Amino acid sequence: MSDRRPAGQFLDAAIGLLARLRDEEAGPITAAGTLLADTVAAGGRLFAFGAGHSSLAAQDVVYRAGGLALMNLLTVPGVVGVDVMPAPLGSALERVDGLATAVLDSSPLRAGDALVIISLSGRNALPVEMALAARARGVQVIGVTSVAYAAQTTSRHASGTFLKDHCDIVLDSKIAVGDAELTLDHVPAPFAPASTVVTTALLQAVMATTAAALADRGIEPPLLRSGNVDGGHEWNSRVMEQYRDRIFYRH
C-alpha cells in the first residue's frame, strides 16, 4: 500500500524515478560509462561540471570514497553550489554569454578528455556554451539533463538550442519541468525536488559502469578508498601518485 504521508509520497516518487532510469536509461548509462573508460584507457582526463544545485551531483563524484580518483571538478566562480552571496547572483551568472568559453580557456581541459555537464533544464547559456566550446576543443561531452525542458521551455542561449543538442551522449534524468514532486490543496506551490537524488544516483551508476568496464579490460580502476578504514590513506596516496598528472584537485 502506498504511503500517503508527504515523506512517503516523496520517497515513492524518487523510487519511481530511479526505477525509470534503471529501465529506460540503461543504454545511455552503459554508453557513458564506456566513454569514460575509453578516455581513461587512452590517457585522457575526466571532468564534471554543474551550476547551482546541479553542481551537487558533480561534486558527488569528485574525491569520493568508492569513486574514480580521476574525476575532477570543473569550477566556474560564483556558480558552484550556493556559496555565492547573494545566492541569486549564481543564477544570473548561468545566463552570461562568454563565461563558459573564458572558463575553458583557463582550464586544463584538452582534446581527448571527457567532460560531464549537468544541467537540469539545459536551457541557460552557461551549460550550452560549455558543451559547444568543449566539443570544439576535441573534448567528448556527456550531458545530464531533463529532456522534457526542451519541449516545454525556451532556450536562453543565442542559438536557441539546449544542452542535449551538443553532447556525444545524453542522460535523461526524467525530472518534470519545475522539479517538484508533490502538491497539496492547501499549499500554493508544488514542492519536494528530487533532481539531486536522481541525478546523483544516475552519475554513480555511470561511475560503476566505468569501473567495471576498466576491470573487464584488465585495467585496475583508479578507485579511492575511505580514509576512515585502516589502510585507506595509504591506498589513496598510491593511486594519487600513480595518476598525479590527471588529478587536479590535489594541487
Side-chain angles (χ1 to χ4, degrees), residues 94-213:
E94 292 184 56
R95 303 173 191 177
V96 174
D97 292 329
L99 180 56
T101 299
V103 168
L104 290 178
D105 286 344
S106 302
S107 79
L109 252 81
R110 66 188 184 195
D113 292 345
L115 172 62
V116 179
I117 301 177
I118 306 138
S119 173
L120 177 60
S121 72
R123 69 188 298 224
N124 287 314
L126 184 56
V128 176
E129 182 186 336
M130 185 77 73
L132 273 165
R135 292 182 87 192
R137 288 163 166 74
V139 174
Q140 295 192 86
V141 174
I142 298 169
V144 184
T145 187
S146 171
V147 173
Y149 275 84
Q152 300 178 43
T153 68
T154 57
S155 170
R156 290 186 175 130
H157 187 259
S159 67
T161 59
F162 288 76
L163 170 62
K164 73 175 186 63
D165 300 315
H166 306 287
C167 300
D168 296 281
I169 297 169
V170 175
L171 299 172
D172 184 2
S173 65
K174 316 293 183 181
I175 298 294
V177 173
D179 192 17
E181 294 299 320
L182 303 184
T183 58
L184 288 174
D185 291 341
H186 56 287
V187 177
F191 59 102
S195 61
T196 302
V197 173
V198 171
T199 305
T200 299
L202 183 54
L203 280 181
Q204 289 297 349
V206 172
M207 297 299 111
T209 302
T210 301

Side-chain angles (χ1 to χ4, degrees), residues 46-69:
L46 309 180
F47 296 84
F49 166 76
H53 285 92
S54 290
S55 180
L56 297 175
Q59 293 177 56
D60 190 62
V61 295
V62 176
Y63 188 54
R64 181 66 189 262
L68 292 172

